[in-house]
Amino acid sequence: MTPPIAPMMPDGIRSKLVEAAQKAARDCAGKLYKYGGKDTAGFDCSGFVSYVYRQVFSSFTYMDTTVLESGGQFAETTKPQAGDLIFFPAGTNPYEVARKNTKKFDDHVGIVIDASTWMGSQSSTGVAVVKTTNLWWGARARKFLKYKGISE
Amino acid sequence: MIRYGLPFVFVLGCATGPLPQKALSADQIRGKWMVVDVACKDCQGRTPEEKGVILEFDSTRIYNPLFGNCDARPGYDLLAPVVPATLLRETGSAWPASVKADVATAPSSLYGFVTCEGVNYAQMAFTSPGRGYYFAEGGVVFVLARR
């Protein structure tokens, strides 16, 4: 069962991550998703996450989705908070499967903003907020990752 | 004088050609739109269960039962007229064939991003006052008709 995002009032580092994500999103409004993109001229999903984290952690270097998930700098958490990552493993989407579409989708990663939203660079929207009421994303399997550089 | 005036007027009429169709403006997309079909490039056989869903684009909010509402500050100023050749070359090369065909025959399309609180919300294109396209995840495109 996918753990719910707990209600939260982020402070300190976590609020900085959220603010950095929101600023990056505003800075690239109107820009399409860009495969390999790592700046406000256009991001892909891991480029956006890495960019945001680098705004808060100056030594943070770019990581693709494989490294973000299993490179050792993030650990899975069952109690996600603002600033944590939401990670969607590659695979089919039950929303699409119910509509006879068994296409496999790439893995995807975004940043938790609050209990009802996360933010990422998606192929259809570029950087955008995604609500938990989104039927398409809400159907995909997901897990949450916490950066080991956040000490709590 | 008249003998020479008429041919002159005739030549002018041919040279200018028909008047161009007025480009769509962002004001024209506000209101209700219904999903009338679902197009996708590489998911043939996908059932269009979203048909009949109503999306509403308002000055103060967007109602979207599929992907979540925009509850504050929807923005339409990142939509702009784009001629077919440019749109299909720079953005739409991977769109479903039916969408590309409609875009190709429209004098211009209103294309870009609808925003919510200053952030991208939806990528959309409108080829006429009554026809729109909502580009969703997974290569799926919702075909919209003005309600």
Side-chain angles (χ1 to χ4, degrees):
Chain A
M1 183 177 169
T2 304
I5 302 174
M8 58 192 76
M9 288 295 290
D11 55 12
I13 288 291
R14 292 187 176 282
S15 68
K16 288 180 180 173
L17 284 167
V18 169
E19 287 166 7
Q22 292 169 332
K23 182 179 187 305
R26 290 190 299 270
D27 289 346
C28 60
K31 303 288 195 312
L32 287 164
Y33 171 95
K34 182 180 178 183
Y35 182 76
K38 300 180 177 64
D39 58 32
T40 54
F43 292 108
D44 65 11
C45 65
S46 56
F48 173 71
V49 166
S50 297
Y51 177 91
V52 170
Y53 265 72
R54 193 163 57 252
Q55 307 311 300
V56 178
F57 303 98
S58 57
S59 61
F60 194 94
T61 55
Y62 169 75
M63 298 181 204
D64 64 20
T65 50
T66 301
V67 177
L68 286 168
E69 183 195 14
S70 53
Q73 300 231 32
F74 287 82
E76 188 168 356
T77 177
T78 57
K79 296 179 180 179
Q81 300 182 66
D84 287 340
L85 304 187
I86 183 168
F87 185 87
F88 301 88
T92 57
N93 184 334
Y95 177 93
E96 292 294 326
V97 171
R99 289 156 177 79
K100 297 184 170 51
N101 178 15
T102 57
K103 180 179 177 180
K104 289 186 178 176
F105 298 95
D106 292 337
D107 54 17
H108 186 69
V109 65
I111 296 175
V112 173
I113 298 300
D114 59 30
S116 62
T117 57
W118 56 272
M119 186 178 280
S121 184
Q122 287 69 251
S123 59
S124 64
T125 58
V127 178
V129 168
V130 180
K131 294 188 173 185
T132 52
T133 51
N134 183 304
L135 297 179
W136 199 90
W137 287 106
R140 280 189 72 169
R142 88 288 301 272
K143 59 182 176 181
F144 297 94
L145 305 172
K146 176 189 167 184
Y147 184 45
K148 293 179 179 177
I150 297 175
S151 55
E152 289 167 326
Chain B
M1 291 291 284
I2 294 173
R3 249 176 68 195
Y4 294 105
L6 283 173
F8 179 68
V9 170
F10 177 75
V11 169
L12 265 183
C14 285
T16 55
L19 290 173
Q21 189 173 355
K22 189 177 177 185
L24 286 168
S25 69
D27 286 341
Q28 291 178 277
I29 79 155
R30 291 196 184 88
K32 294 183 180 180
W33 295 80
M34 183 168 68
V35 179
V36 295
D37 202 359
V38 181
C40 54
K41 190 180 176 187
D42 55 1
C43 55
Q44 282 71 26
R46 183 193 189 277
T47 54
E49 293 192 14
E50 295 87 353
K51 284 174 72 170
V53 168
I54 302 291
L55 308 177
E56 185 169 0
F57 299 91
D58 208 328
S59 301
T60 58
R61 70 185 295 256
I62 297 170
Y63 174 71
N64 183 343
L66 295 173
F67 306 127
N69 300 335
C70 171
D71 297 315
R73 289 200 299 122
Y76 306 98
D77 53 359
L78 294 186
L79 295 165
V82 186
V83 297
T86 302
L87 185 53
L88 294 174
R89 180 182 67 245
E90 295 184 358
T91 307
S93 60
W95 289 347
S98 59
V99 177
K100 290 201 286 188
D102 190 26
V103 168
T105 56
S108 72
S109 295
L110 190 69
Y111 168 78
F113 285 93
V114 174
T115 60
C116 183
E117 298 190 81
V119 173
N120 289 353
Y121 174 82
Q123 183 189 170
M124 302 190 72
F126 297 86
T127 54
S128 74
R131 171 67 78 225
Y133 298 96
Y134 185 115
F135 298 94
E137 272 305 301
V140 171
V141 182
F142 296 117
V143 183
L144 307 178
R146 168 70 77 177
R147 179 69 188 260

